[in-house]
């Protein structure tokens, strides 16, 4: 008989669900296998009002297709949110996502200055209200150095607001791993692709647009540092796929959109990676328990069983006139969802 594994309450604490037809295509792929996910707010226009937030929640619920799934939504950071506004929506959101202006997809209206004084009004209210801050931590510098250059900004926010829970999203460097334990209020999410690939996989041979994302995958020593803290179940890191679907024609284009679409194969590949590293006992920490402790919530009871059986990843996910290419398209992976 094939080996199986049952995962409890798997959570994806960083994902892009988009809207409209793309939402309808991708949301069920996550809702099928995860107990919950943190949904990023970088729509066009981004979610900055209660009205937009509530109607997005409704659209997600209509699109998800599986009842046993909780979508945790976020709003897009603005430096001048009032305390009253944040107090009013506090129970509707799990966090607020901060994007420096222009560093990634749909971040044009992000913050133009990372000067702590300018950010303070909102950060102070968040700290008082206990709303976590999720951060896309990249500068506008040289592409390989953007995350490293952002470290002093994390340090200044973490020390100025010791009661604020700060999540360094999708970390890609040893520099970020090294910073993690320096501040008690600093945490991190790690994607699937950054546990596997380096820049060589993206651009070392033929250019691989479906592996292009921001932050870009870095050096082997960076990838190894991420893998180490993930498989050891480090208490301050959690899984956030950053699954970021873009239509096929926008990836296979001159001017390729940033984002790797991993939602349908994330669990299978995490099991594969943790098994390869003899760390299956730590998978529930990375995939569920740490996130529940860091964000202070209790996930719904949901288990999902995987079987050690080869699975050829579809070349395309297609519905509602949307086409998206997943990571590992047409390749064989070694774990499958139980049918
Ligand atoms: O590669 C990325 N894609 N990185 C991000 O930060 C945003 C995401 C997207 O929304 O497509
Ligand atoms: Zn993201």
């Amino acid at each position: 008989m094939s080996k199986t594994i049952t995962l409890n309450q798997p959570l994806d604490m960083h994902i892009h669900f988009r809207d409209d037809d793309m939402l309808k295509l991708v949301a069920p792929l996550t809702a099928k296998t995860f107990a919950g996910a943190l949904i990023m707010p970088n729509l066009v226009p981004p979610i900055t009002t209660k009205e937009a937030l509530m109607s997005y929640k409704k659209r997600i619920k209509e699109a998800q297709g599986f009842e046993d799934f909780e979508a945790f939504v976020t709003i897009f950071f603005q430096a001048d949110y009032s305390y009253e506004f944040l107090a009013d929506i506090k129970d509707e959101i799990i966090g607020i996502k901060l994007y420096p202006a222009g560093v990634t997809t749909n971040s044009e209206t992000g913050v133009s200055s990372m000067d702590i004084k300018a950010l303070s009004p909102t950060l102070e209210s968040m700290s008082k209200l206990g709303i976590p801050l999720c951060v896309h931590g990249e500068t506008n510098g040289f592409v390989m150095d953007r995350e490293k250059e952002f470290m002093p900004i994390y340090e200044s926010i973490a020390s100025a607001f010791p009661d604020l829970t700060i999540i360094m999203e999708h970390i890609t460097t040893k520099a970020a791993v090294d910073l993690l334990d320096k501040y008690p209020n600093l945490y991190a999410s790690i994607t699937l692709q950054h546990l596997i690939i380096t820049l060589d996989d993206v651009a070392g041979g033929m250019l691989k647009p479906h592996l292009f994302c921001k932050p870009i995958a870095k050096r082997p020593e960076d990838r190894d540092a991420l893998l180490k803290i993930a498989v050891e179940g480090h208490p301050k890191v959690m899984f956030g796929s950053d699954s970021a679907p873009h239509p096929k024609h926008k990836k296979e284009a001159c001017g390729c959109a940033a984002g790797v679409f991993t939602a349908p194969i994330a669990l299978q590949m995490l099991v594969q990676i943790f098994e390869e590293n003899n760390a299956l006992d730590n998978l529930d920490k990375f995939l569920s328990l740490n996130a529940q402790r860091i964000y202070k919530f209790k996930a719904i009871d949901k288990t999902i069983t995987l079987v050690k059986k080869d699975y050829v990843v579809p070349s395309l996910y297609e519905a509602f006139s949307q086409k998206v290419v997943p990571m590992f398209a047409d390749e064989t992976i070694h774990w499958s969802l139980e049918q």
Side-chain angles (χ1 to χ4, degrees):
M1 235 186 71
S2 309
K3 186 172 169 186
T4 65
I5 183 169
T6 297
L7 305 174
N8 286 316
Q9 306 173 310
L11 299 168
D12 183 344
M13 298 310 288
H14 182 141
I15 193 163
H16 298 269
F17 264 8
R18 314 296 191 208
D19 212 341
D20 304 317
D21 286 345
M22 186 62 95
L23 170 66
K24 289 184 202 155
L25 167 61
V26 300
L29 297 170
T30 291
K32 181 181 174 188
T33 54
F34 285 85
L38 182 154
I39 319 298
M40 286 299 171
N42 60 333
L43 305 182
V44 188
I47 297 179
T48 56
T49 65
K50 186 173 183 182
E51 201 187 358
L53 176 74
M54 299 312 285
S55 91
Y56 189 42
K57 278 177 102 156
K58 189 160 170 271
R59 292 197 298 284
I60 293 171
K61 202 143 193 63
E62 283 163 9
Q64 70 189 45
F66 295 83
E67 284 297 307
D68 57 349
F69 170 78
E70 275 184 299
F72 303 109
V73 291
T74 55
I75 60 168
F76 194 92
F77 187 97
Q78 308 247 280
D80 58 353
Y81 280 136
S82 72
Y83 181 86
E84 292 67 34
F85 169 71
L86 295 176
D88 182 39
I89 60 156
K90 169 184 173 353
D91 293 338
E92 302 293 343
I93 58 173
I94 193 166
I96 299 184
K97 176 70 181 285
L98 187 154
Y99 290 93
V103 296
T104 191
T105 310
N106 305 338
S107 66
E108 294 74 17
T109 58
V111 295
S112 48
S113 158
M114 283 305 300
D115 178 44
I116 187 116
K117 272 212 185 75
L119 308 177
S120 282
T122 296
L123 293 181
E124 211 160 300
S125 304
M126 290 173 67
S127 175
K128 278 191 194 137
L129 290 162
I131 304 174
L133 174 74
C134 307
V135 184
H136 184 116
E138 286 195 285
T139 66
N140 289 305
F142 178 68
V143 67
M144 287 294 278
D145 297 335
R146 288 174 189 173
E147 183 171 293
K148 196 160 147 238
E149 287 174 2
F150 201 87
M151 294 301 125
I153 301 174
Y154 278 129
E155 296 209 53
S156 68
I157 301 176
S159 48
F161 297 96
D163 296 330
L164 180 68
T165 294
I166 303 162
I167 294 102
M168 304 189 280
E169 295 293 343
H170 44 51
I171 57 171
T172 59
T173 56
K174 186 168 181 306
V177 172
D178 291 342
L179 195 63
L180 201 52
D181 288 326
K182 225 173 129 185
Y183 295 89
N185 55 333
L186 211 48
Y187 302 88
S189 67
I190 303 180
T191 74
L192 174 69
Q193 67 266 23
H194 293 121
L195 292 176
I196 302 173
I197 64 169
T198 69
L199 183 61
D200 256 10
D201 296 288
V202 186
M206 301 274 264
L207 189 66
K208 298 281 174 50
H210 297 292
L211 297 181
F212 171 62
C213 66
K214 293 188 174 174
I216 194 103
K218 306 288 189 314
R219 299 175 169 278
E221 54 269 36
D222 295 307
R223 191 256 327 267
D224 295 348
L226 300 170
L227 186 60
K228 178 171 182 293
I229 55 167
V231 300
E232 76 187 23
H234 188 295
K236 297 182 90 181
V237 298
M238 58 200 149
F239 178 59
S241 69
D242 201 14
S243 179
H246 290 277
K248 184 173 192 282
H249 69 273
K250 294 213 168 154
K251 292 290 293 174
E252 297 174 5
C254 176
C256 162
V260 182
F261 178 53
T262 52
I265 49 101
L267 283 186
Q268 300 89 314
M269 282 306 300
L270 284 175
V271 172
Q272 187 171 317
I273 291 169
F274 275 67
E275 186 192 36
E276 278 165 9
N277 287 274
N278 295 316
L280 281 173
D281 285 350
N282 288 333
L283 183 52
D284 60 343
K285 299 189 189 103
F286 183 62
L287 192 53
S288 188
L289 298 174
N290 292 349
Q292 295 186 59
R293 180 174 26 78
I294 294 165
Y295 280 102
K296 302 191 174 78
F297 72 96
K298 212 181 152 343
I300 56 166
D301 279 325
K302 176 170 180 176
T303 55
I304 179 101
T305 300
L306 291 93
V307 189
K308 190 164 187 189
K309 195 170 106 194
D310 280 1
Y311 174 69
V312 181
V313 179
S315 44
L316 198 66
Y317 284 82
E318 189 173 5
F320 309 104
S321 64
Q322 297 290 312
K323 295 179 181 177
V324 196
V325 177
M327 187 180 186
F328 294 116
D330 298 317
E331 290 180 46
T332 300
I333 60 176
H334 303 308
W335 283 82
S336 314
L337 300 174
E338 191 181 53
Q339 287 310 316

